[in-house]
Amino acid sequence: MKSIGVGLIGSGFMGKAHALAWNAVRPVFGDVPAIRLAHLGDANDALARAKADEFGFAKASGDWRQVVADPEVDVVSITTPNKFHLEMAAAALAAGKDVWCEKPMAPNLADAEKMLAAARQSGKVAVLGYNYVQNPVIRHISKLIGEGAIGAVNHVRIEMDEDFMADPEAPFQQRHEKANGWGAIDDFAVHPLSLILTLFGPLERVMCDMAKPYSTRKSPEGEREVEVFDIATILMRLKNGASGFIAVSRTAWGRKGRIAIQIFGAKGSILFDQERLNEFQLYLTSDGPTEAGFRTVLSAPHHKPYDRFIPAPGHSLGFNDLKTIECRQLIGRMLGEEALSIDFEKGILIERAVDAMARSFQEGRWVDLG
Amino acid sequence: MKSIGVGLIGSGFMGKAHALAWNAVRPVFGDVPAIRLAHLGDANDALARAKADEFGFAKASGDWRQVVADPEVDVVSITTPNKFHLEMAAAALAAGKDVWCEKPMAPNLADAEKMLAAARQSGKVAVLGYNYVQNPVIRHISKLIGEGAIGAVNHVRIEMDEDFMADPEAPFQQRHEKANGWGAIDDFAVHPLSLILTLFGPLERVMCDMAKPYSTRKSPEGEREVEVFDIATILMRLKNGASGFIAVSRTAWGRKGRIAIQIFGAKGSILFDQERLNEFQLYLTSDGPTEAGFRTVLSAPHHKPYDRFIPAPGHSLGFNDLKTIECRQLIGRMLGEEALSIDFEKGILIERAVDAMARSFQEGRWVDLG
Amino acid sequence: MKSIGVGLIGSGFMGKAHALAWNAVRPVFGDVPAIRLAHLGDANDALARAKADEFGFAKASGDWRQVVADPEVDVVSITTPNKFHLEMAAAALAAGKDVWCEKPMAPNLADAEKMLAAARQSGKVAVLGYNYVQNPVIRHISKLIGEGAIGAVNHVRIEMDEDFMADPEAPFQQRHEKANGWGAIDDFAVHPLSLILTLFGPLERVMCDMAKPYSTRKSPEGEREVEVFDIATILMRLKNGASGFIAVSRTAWGRKGRIAIQIFGAKGSILFDQERLNEFQLYLTSDGPTEAGFRTVLSAPHHKPYDRFIPAPGHSLGFNDLKTIECRQLIGRMLGEEALSIDFEKGILIERAVDAMARSFQEGRWVDLG
Amino acid sequence: MKSIGVGLIGSGFMGKAHALAWNAVRPVFGDVPAIRLAHLGDANDALARAKADEFGFAKASGDWRQVVADPEVDVVSITTPNKFHLEMAAAALAAGKDVWCEKPMAPNLADAEKMLAAARQSGKVAVLGYNYVQNPVIRHISKLIGEGAIGAVNHVRIEMDEDFMADPEAPFQQRHEKANGWGAIDDFAVHPLSLILTLFGPLERVMCDMAKPYSTRKSPEGEREVEVFDIATILMRLKNGASGFIAVSRTAWGRKGRIAIQIFGAKGSILFDQERLNEFQLYLTSDGPTEAGFRTVLSAPHHKPYDRFIPAPGHSLGFNDLKTIECRQLIGRMLGEEALSIDFEKGILIERAVDAMARSFQEGRWVDLG
């Protein structure tokens, strides 16, 4: 592969994040083919053209199908709302393109399963935008767990909290409608699930509660009932035998991008919080009774591929850098290398877990994941 | 009441803590009657005599019934293992003594109910040793919540973790036998429950999972099955409408005395961790979008009764100081003042919640608390 | 010695702290003679009587000389303002009493030297109330340094900051007058100096700057000039070869009881902050390049004599507990044991260092400590 | 200006950082001309060509003069060792190019003054690579100070510490030779100085101590004397009347990229640490006595231009993002906008302060900065 032709559909928060990653991946890593920013698609021609200029794409279209059909495009970044993912991904895969689709897969499990089927049928690379697993700190935690540094893991807790829905005075939005899913579990819990899959493997069963702190919100037509749940708490058992929970909230005042992970093993513990994504904490019993304590380890060139960004330790990667690493892994897949990604095969496990959570909540009982 | 005659049964960890509190309460607070350390009872005469000398008690007995019967004793501290609580508390109450009994009430709910009946019948003061609610920081948090500083509370999370059972190589102990209760829920969850009761009022329902990270342990007779659960995770709903969870573990390496509380309201959030008992964190939306952040507030004379210990802020109270405050509250009750304590009436709510957790776990479903 | 008869002069902040320590020392430690609270002296009979009742002292006097003269008194706690220390300490020592005098020794070096002379002549125990060195965490740090855990120490930084003088609107007080000393260096810097002496030994030379953030303050007679310096920054060289600084401020908004210590050695580093007195941080190069980080070590029974207060780790000592340890060390001296205290011999080194700082500031140059 | 043609000299740590910034600045900000990566120069043709391909530059030269002479180049990034800065910057400026030169300006003050003269004579934009001042958090702190949020600043402390020289067993390097400057003050102290200039304005006087923790190091020819100082502690007075200090160390085990700033004012305080570059701490007396505490404020879109990178708060920028902001400010200068940079006019104040520190150390006295 002499160069990689990139198509991008969507130019919002995640569209821009993909564009930055595609711009940075070669200067950062150096070991990938030249990147051609070929074609950007958005809601209309004018917007597409403006964003193509900003992001450095050659062509622009108001019709995403032109991006998918473009012979200069090898891989398509799909960053539109998730209700479009199935159609776009299926089309791109059918057109022989590799796909990098933002998470979650689709608003319901049936559509997600169709996406997986499309990917399998195409034989193309199909990965999802789960960027938190790409953090060098998370990768190092995974390595430590794999090496048995903290012994067999027996208990895991993950919280993901933000506060963008926390204001009770904020008006009713489309995302408060049932059609958009359950709320916290499909919007947030998928991230903890991506981390659990990466670090520990699949879930065995879940027991879920959901809550809506504000049951109505203002709208131009008066108070409207909120149909989604901003909070969820989920008991879980992992196939590896560990117990634990996932707790997620979009109404947790003061939390901005928290993903707090606590991992307990027979010989130590590991803590991490995405709000301080450049550090983790490690407790080892081998440190002895009088001097053991959680070590605050700062990210460093030793934690690959931090070194590709900065040669000095403790200088910090940012959120967008994780997306650049994700992009490099995607390219690795395209080149046939071993690579760490949440692909559609793993993504479906996440979607099934979300579905199981919803059923558990509705039925008030544990649901097995089979 | 010119003076208060104190009887103490037991001189271990908690017995000493009571003795320190009885020694300190008058010099610290100044506003209580003279304290007479009248009679200490322990397993045998020699031990009782030695500890009486250390702790400053006049009389010593190898038979606890002599402490209860002593006419110079007005109030009895009971700090023995909880299987003795019913008999001792009932005897003391029947003898017309006030009672300060360590938590939890009893190994099973039936005995706890009998203790409550004995207290009601006696008309005496009967309080339990839940000291964490006495922290001036917790009291201030309670005040803030009551004043609506963070708005209506809609979500609560409490974790209590230590690691004294975390070593898989540690041998089988008596406490691993079923006769001693369930493990984490009666040993640990009672503390979060005491805090929930104090800060938010009673629970509505619970859904509990329990786990044993190490299912067998070494004993002189070979591997023995561990019959208790060192970990429990509990989904909960409070009567005030809030959702949340309690998670407790005695096998959490690196945690030494953690009781981490997260409280989310409509206008802000509050965080606390018992491992740093002299501070709490407060997030207020009124701090505005560009400068809002969790405030780390250090305990200070403003947070009563910190001022009785130290006139300067940020100088730190210790664990034993909380017991002295608890003692002052007990004396307040004896004097007919308003006082904050977990008395037997509140204690039974804790015991019932623990019982409901156990049933929930056994039956794999939510259990209402009535 | 069958029992120890205690005299206490003063019942303010520090007087109460001594009283609490004398009440607690036997129940906590168990291994000391009985403590007789014999005689409390204060500004007048009524106050002395009231405080004697609160604190548990038998006799009370409005004349401190009666405390010193009382044959039932073996040791005298002196907690009055430092301008009285010389007279009281000298009288007590001359009367054959041991002395526990609050810091600093005296408002000027000449008086402090007289106190030392009196102590030497008497042959009695004469120690000062430097309690921060008694923290089990500090003792453990000292042990680690002594064992070479972080290699040879080459750089030390200590900051001590509070904010009780930080309000520019606070009125002029007596303590703003020159007669009370220099301000930050005699009020605060003595504590860092006590820690330096304990951990590293004596200073070689100092270079001091002082600043007054608010040069005048309101008084009933109008604006008055502030004659003392609330801030001081001091470059230092230790006799062990290390460089470093001391920085102290009484006008540091938000700091309540901060004593932040940073110790750098050839093989690691140690951090401590008195506002979180139950923990320290330890960095060891031997933890390896990918997992080294500052360990947050919580105080625990292993850190003697924490175990005398609480048998469980991470449960926290308080400020007053440090005073109880200090009291135990004083008793140790009285009993001829090895004990850790800042006695008058060490205290004079602190006073000389303060004097050198003042001269350095006045002359704008380094001053050697000889 | 339709587009900007970029020349880059050097492709090491900082060369790559410039390249990443030039690649990212338009996709991130959207409001700048097209960026043409025109010409990369490095030590030889092969290296230059390889790096040009990686970083996306069109032309490559083994001779930097060709970069400077290239008519397609509008602005030259100079990222070579500082001994080359004068020659390269002067040539570029003389050729009519704008210049973005890495810090510090030159190994000695005389050369730095020549660089300033060259910039003045050329009338071109000439800025330095001080990236820490570009952090949106630092900018917000600057805004808060400017608005008087914490009142008049009266005391400032800055520490900058890393540990890349901390290993006593590390061999002698060229940078241990006197020819490379003083050590900590020119390598590190320049960063605190850039922050002080940006936040508070110029210094009035300094009093400096320097130390070498390891006076010799191993070399192939045996032990060699270390001629530079890895540690410096500097008392300072600012022209605004504030006192304070700068402390810098390259041998502080455990510190990786620490720049800890403490700012004390009449109405509050601000803290910042570069190791956690996405947050700052703010204490405001207006928060009241019972709830005041340092607020941990996370970086957010409100803190411009964080929003250009990520629309959600608390998601973290990285070190390289600061360089992209710096690049945007440079472009702003080129376009005649108001822009925040350390240009050669401000840079010379930093160089003079370093020179004053060196003289102060040599003469053991305060040195005025005029």
Side-chain angles (χ1 to χ4, degrees):
Chain A
M1 198 176 278
K2 295 284 283 221
S3 70
I4 296 174
V6 178
L8 170 62
I9 310 178
S11 65
F13 179 177
M14 276 302 131
K16 183 168 179 174
H18 280 235
L20 292 173
W22 283 118
N23 268 281
V25 68
R26 191 160 193 243
V28 166
F29 285 95
D31 61 354
V32 297
I35 307 297
R36 284 177 292 102
L37 303 183
H39 205 146
L40 184 149
D42 213 320
N44 59 63
D45 283 350
L47 177 59
R49 187 66 260 158
K51 289 297 169 182
D53 286 350
E54 269 183 49
F55 297 165
F57 281 76
K59 281 177 272 183
S61 297
D63 175 6
W64 63 268
R65 292 183 185 279
Q66 298 195 25
V67 177
V68 167
D70 190 335
E72 288 182 32
V73 167
D74 300 309
V75 56
V76 182
S77 279
I78 301 173
T79 69
T80 50
N82 64 351
K83 62 183 168 185
F84 301 117
H85 289 180
L86 168 59
E87 187 180 13
M88 292 174 176
L93 291 163
K97 315 297 190 192
D98 296 315
V99 164
W100 182 15
C101 181
E102 268 311 304
K103 67 92 214 168
M105 294 177 80
N108 58 68
L109 181 56
D111 282 3
E113 299 279 6
K114 284 179 201 159
M115 288 174 72
L116 173 61
R120 284 181 176 170
Q121 196 170 0
S122 73
K124 303 302 296 179
V125 171
V127 302
L128 295 160
Y130 286 101
N131 53 319
Y132 296 122
V133 304
Q134 301 294 352
N135 186 339
V137 166
I138 293 292
R139 289 180 178 207
H140 192 70
I141 290 171
S142 181
K143 182 167 170 285
L144 287 172
I145 293 169
E147 294 169 354
I150 60 166
V153 169
N154 55 58
H155 192 58
V156 175
R157 300 176 183 168
I158 306 191
E159 295 164 272
M160 176 164 177
D161 300 311
E162 298 192 11
D163 64 5
F164 63 91
M165 293 286 198
D167 187 352
E169 302 304 317
F172 189 92
Q173 306 169 31
Q174 217 184 340
R175 68 196 312 166
H176 295 120
E177 291 172 15
K178 203 178 208 161
N180 283 282
W182 287 94
I185 59 168
D186 28 27
D187 191 20
F188 271 21
V190 294
H191 285 297
L193 287 166
S194 75
L195 291 158
I196 288 168
L197 264 183
T198 303
L199 296 172
F200 313 109
L203 286 154
E204 183 170 283
R205 54 197 173 106
V206 292
M207 168 72 216
C208 174
D209 189 25
M210 300 193 209
K212 48 178 98 171
Y214 316 119
S215 54
T216 65
R217 286 188 179 270
K218 284 175 200 145
S219 82
E221 309 90 51
E223 288 286 310
R224 276 195 59 178
E225 200 200 330
V226 173
E227 297 166 359
V228 298
F229 297 86
D230 288 324
I231 297 175
T233 42
I234 301 113
L235 306 181
M236 68 179 177
R237 292 297 185 116
L238 304 184
K239 284 209 195 296
N240 74 3
S243 65
F245 68 73
I246 296 171
V248 288
S249 171
R250 308 188 298 191
T251 56
W253 275 123
R255 302 305 195 187
K256 305 301 178 183
R258 190 177 195 236
I259 306 179
I261 306 175
Q262 302 178 65
I263 305 164
F264 300 101
K267 291 162 52 185
S269 303
I270 292 174
L271 311 177
F272 171 81
D273 182 352
Q274 178 67 23
E275 282 182 359
R276 288 174 172 168
L277 69 91
N278 285 283
E279 60 191 65
F280 69 102
Q281 294 194 67
L282 175 65
Y283 184 94
L284 295 177
T285 59
S286 55
D287 284 347
T290 53
E291 282 95 46
F294 279 99
R295 303 178 185 175
T296 301
V297 184
L298 300 182
S299 59
H302 293 287
H303 308 123
K304 306 286 171 185
Y306 175 103
D307 61 311
R308 296 307 310 161
F309 295 83
I310 313 161
H315 279 56
S316 296
L317 302 190
F319 177 87
N320 287 326
D321 295 328
L322 305 189
K323 214 70 192 171
T324 302
I325 301 174
E326 189 179 307
C327 185
R328 175 65 187 79
Q329 295 302 103
L330 163 66
I331 295 171
R333 289 232 173 187
M334 294 168 66
L335 300 176
E337 300 170 9
E338 282 236 351
L340 172 67
S341 301
I342 302 292
D343 57 19
F344 284 21
E345 298 285 346
K346 277 193 181 167
I348 203 70
L349 301 179
I350 295 173
E351 305 288 332
R352 287 174 194 157
V354 168
D355 186 67
M357 288 173 188
R359 281 185 287 132
S360 165
F361 169 60
Q362 288 174 298
E363 301 170 16
R365 62 172 184 85
W366 286 91
V367 170
D368 285 336
L369 275 147
Chain B
M1 197 177 278
K2 296 283 284 217
S3 71
I4 294 174
V6 178
L8 169 63
I9 309 178
S11 64
F13 180 177
M14 277 300 132
K16 183 169 179 174
H18 279 236
L20 292 173
W22 284 117
N23 269 280
V25 68
R26 191 158 194 245
V28 166
F29 284 95
D31 61 354
V32 297
I35 305 298
R36 283 178 291 102
L37 303 182
H39 205 145
L40 185 150
D42 213 319
N44 58 62
D45 283 349
L47 176 60
R49 188 65 259 161
K51 289 297 168 181
D53 286 350
E54 268 183 49
F55 298 166
F57 281 76
K59 281 177 275 183
S61 298
D63 175 6
W64 64 268
R65 294 186 182 277
Q66 298 196 24
V67 176
V68 167
D70 189 335
E72 288 181 33
V73 168
D74 300 309
V75 55
V76 181
S77 280
I78 301 172
T79 69
T80 50
N82 64 351
K83 63 183 168 183
F84 301 117
H85 289 180
L86 168 59
E87 186 180 16
M88 291 175 176
L93 290 163
K97 314 300 190 191
D98 295 316
V99 163
W100 183 15
C101 180
E102 267 312 303
K103 68 92 213 169
M105 292 177 82
N108 59 68
L109 182 56
D111 282 2
E113 298 281 4
K114 283 180 201 159
M115 287 174 72
L116 174 61
R120 283 181 176 169
Q121 196 171 358
S122 74
K124 302 303 294 179
V125 171
V127 302
L128 295 161
Y130 285 102
N131 52 319
Y132 295 123
V133 304
Q134 302 294 352
N135 186 339
V137 166
I138 293 292
R139 288 180 177 206
H140 192 71
I141 289 171
S142 181
K143 182 167 170 285
L144 288 171
I145 292 171
E147 294 168 357
I150 60 165
V153 169
N154 55 56
H155 193 58
V156 176
R157 299 177 185 168
I158 307 192
E159 295 164 272
M160 177 163 178
D161 300 312
E162 300 192 9
D163 64 5
F164 62 91
M165 293 285 197
D167 186 353
E169 301 305 317
F172 190 91
Q173 306 170 31
Q174 219 186 336
R175 67 196 313 165
H176 294 121
E177 293 173 12
K178 203 178 208 161
N180 283 280
W182 287 94
I185 59 168
D186 29 26
D187 190 20
F188 272 21
V190 294
H191 285 297
L193 286 167
S194 75
L195 290 158
I196 288 169
L197 263 183
T198 303
L199 296 171
F200 313 109
L203 286 155
E204 185 170 281
R205 53 198 175 105
V206 292
M207 169 72 214
C208 173
D209 189 25
M210 300 192 210
K212 48 179 97 170
Y214 315 119
S215 54
T216 63
R217 286 187 180 271
K218 283 174 199 145
S219 81
E221 309 89 51
E223 287 287 309
R224 277 196 59 178
E225 199 200 329
V226 173
E227 297 166 359
V228 298
F229 297 87
D230 287 323
I231 296 176
T233 42
I234 301 116
L235 305 181
M236 69 178 175
R237 291 297 185 116
L238 304 184
K239 285 210 192 299
N240 73 3
S243 66
F245 67 72
I246 297 171
V248 289
S249 171
R250 308 189 297 193
T251 55
W253 274 124
R255 304 306 195 185
K256 305 300 179 184
R258 191 176 194 235
I259 306 180
I261 306 175
Q262 302 179 65
I263 305 165
F264 299 102
K267 292 161 53 184
S269 303
I270 293 174
L271 311 176
F272 172 81
D273 183 351
Q274 177 68 23
E275 282 182 358
R276 288 174 171 169
L277 69 92
N278 285 284
E279 60 191 66
F280 69 102
Q281 294 196 66
L282 175 65
Y283 183 94
L284 295 176
T285 60
S286 55
D287 284 347
T290 53
E291 282 96 44
F294 279 99
R295 303 177 185 176
T296 302
V297 183
L298 300 183
S299 59
H302 294 285
H303 308 123
K304 306 286 173 184
Y306 175 103
D307 61 310
R308 296 308 309 161
F309 294 83
I310 313 161
H315 279 55
S316 296
L317 301 190
F319 177 88
N320 287 325
D321 295 328
L322 305 189
K323 215 71 192 170
T324 301
I325 302 175
E326 189 178 306
C327 186
R328 176 64 187 79
Q329 294 302 103
L330 162 67
I331 294 171
R333 290 235 170 182
M334 293 169 66
L335 300 176
E337 299 171 10
E338 281 233 353
L340 172 67
S341 301
I342 302 290
D343 57 18
F344 283 22
E345 298 285 346
K346 277 194 179 165
I348 202 71
L349 300 179
I350 295 173
E351 305 288 333
R352 287 173 193 157
V354 168
D355 186 67
M357 288 174 188
R359 278 184 290 132
S360 166
F361 169 60
Q362 287 174 300
E363 302 171 15
R365 61 172 184 84
W366 286 91
V367 170
D368 286 336
L369 274 146
Chain C
M1 197 177 279
K2 295 284 281 216
S3 72
I4 294 174
V6 177
L8 170 63
I9 308 178
S11 65
F13 180 0
M14 276 301 132
K16 183 169 179 173
H18 280 234
L20 292 173
W22 284 117
N23 268 279
V25 68
R26 192 158 192 246
V28 167
F29 284 95
D31 61 353
V32 297
I35 306 297
R36 284 177 292 102
L37 304 183
H39 204 147
L40 184 150
D42 212 319
N44 58 62
D45 283 351
L47 177 59
R49 187 66 258 159
K51 289 296 170 184
D53 286 351
E54 269 182 48
F55 297 165
F57 280 76
K59 281 178 272 183
S61 298
D63 176 6
W64 64 268
R65 295 186 180 278
Q66 297 194 24
V67 176
V68 166
D70 188 336
E72 288 181 32
V73 167
D74 300 309
V75 55
V76 181
S77 278
I78 301 173
T79 69
T80 50
N82 65 350
K83 63 183 167 184
F84 301 117
H85 289 178
L86 168 58
E87 186 180 14
M88 290 174 177
L93 291 163
K97 316 296 189 190
D98 295 317
V99 163
W100 184 14
C101 182
E102 269 311 305
K103 68 93 217 169
M105 292 177 82
N108 59 67
L109 182 56
D111 281 3
E113 299 279 5
K114 283 179 200 159
M115 286 173 73
L116 174 61
R120 284 181 175 169
Q121 195 169 2
S122 74
K124 304 302 295 179
V125 172
V127 301
L128 295 161
Y130 285 102
N131 52 318
Y132 296 122
V133 304
Q134 301 294 351
N135 187 340
V137 166
I138 293 293
R139 288 180 178 205
H140 192 70
I141 291 171
S142 180
K143 183 167 169 286
L144 287 172
I145 293 170
E147 294 168 356
I150 61 165
V153 170
N154 55 57
H155 193 58
V156 176
R157 301 176 184 170
I158 307 191
E159 295 165 272
M160 178 164 176
D161 300 312
E162 299 192 11
D163 65 4
F164 63 91
M165 292 287 197
D167 187 353
E169 301 305 316
F172 190 92
Q173 305 168 33
Q174 217 184 340
R175 67 195 314 164
H176 295 121
E177 292 173 14
K178 202 179 208 159
N180 283 281
W182 287 94
I185 58 168
D186 29 26
D187 191 20
F188 272 21
V190 293
H191 285 298
L193 287 166
S194 75
L195 290 158
I196 289 168
L197 263 183
T198 302
L199 295 171
F200 314 109
L203 287 154
E204 184 170 283
R205 54 198 174 105
V206 291
M207 169 71 216
C208 174
D209 190 23
M210 299 193 210
K212 48 178 97 171
Y214 316 119
S215 55
T216 64
R217 286 187 180 270
K218 284 173 199 145
S219 81
E221 309 91 52
E223 288 287 309
R224 277 195 57 178
E225 199 200 329
V226 172
E227 298 167 359
V228 298
F229 297 87
D230 287 324
I231 296 175
T233 41
I234 301 114
L235 306 180
M236 67 178 177
R237 293 297 185 117
L238 304 184
K239 284 210 193 298
N240 73 3
S243 66
F245 67 73
I246 297 170
V248 288
S249 170
R250 306 189 298 191
T251 56
W253 275 123
R255 303 305 195 186
K256 305 301 178 182
R258 190 175 195 238
I259 307 178
I261 307 175
Q262 300 178 67
I263 306 165
F264 299 102
K267 291 162 52 185
S269 303
I270 294 173
L271 311 177
F272 172 82
D273 183 351
Q274 177 68 22
E275 282 183 357
R276 288 175 172 167
L277 69 90
N278 284 283
E279 60 192 64
F280 69 102
Q281 294 194 67
L282 175 65
Y283 184 94
L284 295 178
T285 59
S286 54
D287 284 347
T290 54
E291 282 95 44
F294 279 99
R295 303 176 185 178
T296 301
V297 184
L298 300 182
S299 60
H302 293 286
H303 309 123
K304 305 286 172 186
Y306 175 103
D307 61 311
R308 297 309 309 162
F309 293 83
I310 312 162
H315 280 56
S316 296
L317 302 190
F319 177 88
N320 287 326
D321 295 329
L322 306 189
K323 215 70 192 171
T324 302
I325 302 174
E326 189 178 306
C327 185
R328 175 65 188 79
Q329 294 303 104
L330 162 66
I331 294 170
R333 290 234 172 184
M334 292 169 67
L335 300 176
E337 299 169 10
E338 281 236 352
L340 172 67
S341 301
I342 302 292
D343 58 18
F344 284 22
E345 298 285 346
K346 277 194 179 166
I348 203 69
L349 299 180
I350 295 173
E351 305 288 333
R352 286 173 193 158
V354 168
D355 186 67
M357 289 174 188
R359 279 185 289 132
S360 165
F361 170 60
Q362 287 174 301
E363 300 171 16
R365 60 169 186 85
W366 286 90
V367 169
D368 285 335
L369 273 146
Chain D
M1 196 176 282
K2 296 283 282 217
S3 71
I4 295 174
V6 177
L8 170 62
I9 310 178
S11 65
F13 179 178
M14 276 300 131
K16 182 169 180 174
H18 279 237
L20 292 173
W22 283 116
N23 268 281
V25 67
R26 190 155 194 249
V28 166
F29 284 95
D31 62 352
V32 297
I35 306 297
R36 283 179 292 102
L37 304 183
H39 205 145
L40 185 148
D42 213 320
N44 59 62
D45 283 348
L47 177 59
R49 188 66 259 162
K51 290 296 169 183
D53 286 349
E54 268 183 48
F55 298 166
F57 281 76
K59 281 177 272 184
S61 297
D63 174 6
W64 64 268
R65 294 188 179 276
Q66 298 196 25
V67 176
V68 166
D70 189 335
E72 288 181 35
V73 167
D74 301 308
V75 55
V76 181
S77 278
I78 301 171
T79 68
T80 49
N82 64 351
K83 63 183 168 181
F84 300 116
H85 289 180
L86 169 57
E87 186 179 15
M88 291 174 178
L93 290 162
K97 315 297 190 191
D98 296 315
V99 163
W100 183 15
C101 181
E102 269 311 303
K103 68 93 211 168
M105 293 176 80
N108 59 67
L109 182 56
D111 282 2
E113 299 279 7
K114 283 179 201 159
M115 286 173 73
L116 174 62
R120 284 180 176 170
Q121 195 169 359
S122 73
K124 303 303 294 178
V125 171
V127 301
L128 295 161
Y130 286 101
N131 53 320
Y132 296 122
V133 303
Q134 302 293 352
N135 187 339
V137 166
I138 293 293
R139 288 181 178 204
H140 192 70
I141 290 171
S142 182
K143 182 167 170 284
L144 287 172
I145 292 170
E147 295 169 354
I150 59 165
V153 170
N154 55 57
H155 192 59
V156 175
R157 300 176 185 169
I158 307 192
E159 295 164 271
M160 177 163 177
D161 299 312
E162 298 191 12
D163 63 5
F164 63 91
M165 293 286 197
D167 186 352
E169 301 304 317
F172 190 91
Q173 304 169 33
Q174 217 184 342
R175 67 196 311 166
H176 295 121
E177 292 172 14
K178 202 179 209 162
N180 282 282
W182 288 94
I185 60 168
D186 28 27
D187 190 20
F188 272 21
V190 293
H191 285 298
L193 286 166
S194 75
L195 290 159
I196 288 168
L197 263 182
T198 302
L199 296 171
F200 314 109
L203 286 155
E204 185 171 282
R205 55 200 173 103
V206 292
M207 169 71 215
C208 173
D209 189 25
M210 299 191 211
K212 48 178 100 170
Y214 317 118
S215 54
T216 63
R217 287 188 179 269
K218 283 173 199 146
S219 83
E221 310 89 53
E223 289 286 309
R224 276 197 57 178
E225 199 199 330
V226 173
E227 297 166 359
V228 298
F229 297 87
D230 288 322
I231 297 176
T233 42
I234 302 115
L235 306 181
M236 68 178 176
R237 292 296 185 119
L238 304 184
K239 284 211 193 295
N240 73 4
S243 65
F245 66 73
I246 296 170
V248 288
S249 171
R250 308 190 296 191
T251 55
W253 273 124
R255 304 305 196 187
K256 305 299 178 183
R258 190 176 195 236
I259 306 179
I261 307 176
Q262 301 178 66
I263 305 166
F264 299 101
K267 291 161 54 183
S269 302
I270 292 173
L271 310 177
F272 171 82
D273 183 351
Q274 178 68 23
E275 281 183 0
R276 288 175 172 167
L277 69 91
N278 284 283
E279 60 190 65
F280 70 102
Q281 294 195 68
L282 175 65
Y283 184 96
L284 295 177
T285 60
S286 55
D287 283 348
T290 53
E291 282 95 45
F294 279 99
R295 302 177 186 177
T296 302
V297 184
L298 299 183
S299 60
H302 293 286
H303 309 122
K304 305 287 173 185
Y306 174 103
D307 61 310
R308 297 308 310 162
F309 294 83
I310 313 162
H315 279 55
S316 296
L317 301 190
F319 178 87
N320 287 325
D321 295 329
L322 306 189
K323 213 73 192 169
T324 301
I325 302 174
E326 189 179 305
C327 184
R328 175 63 188 83
Q329 294 302 104
L330 162 66
I331 294 171
R333 290 234 170 184
M334 293 169 66
L335 300 176
E337 299 169 9
E338 282 235 352
L340 172 67
S341 299
I342 302 291
D343 58 17
F344 284 22
E345 298 285 346
K346 277 194 178 166
I348 203 70
L349 300 179
I350 295 172
E351 305 288 333
R352 287 174 194 156
V354 168
D355 186 67
M357 289 173 188
R359 279 184 289 132
S360 165
F361 169 61
Q362 289 175 299
E363 300 171 17
R365 61 172 185 85
W366 286 91
V367 170
D368 286 334
L369 273 145

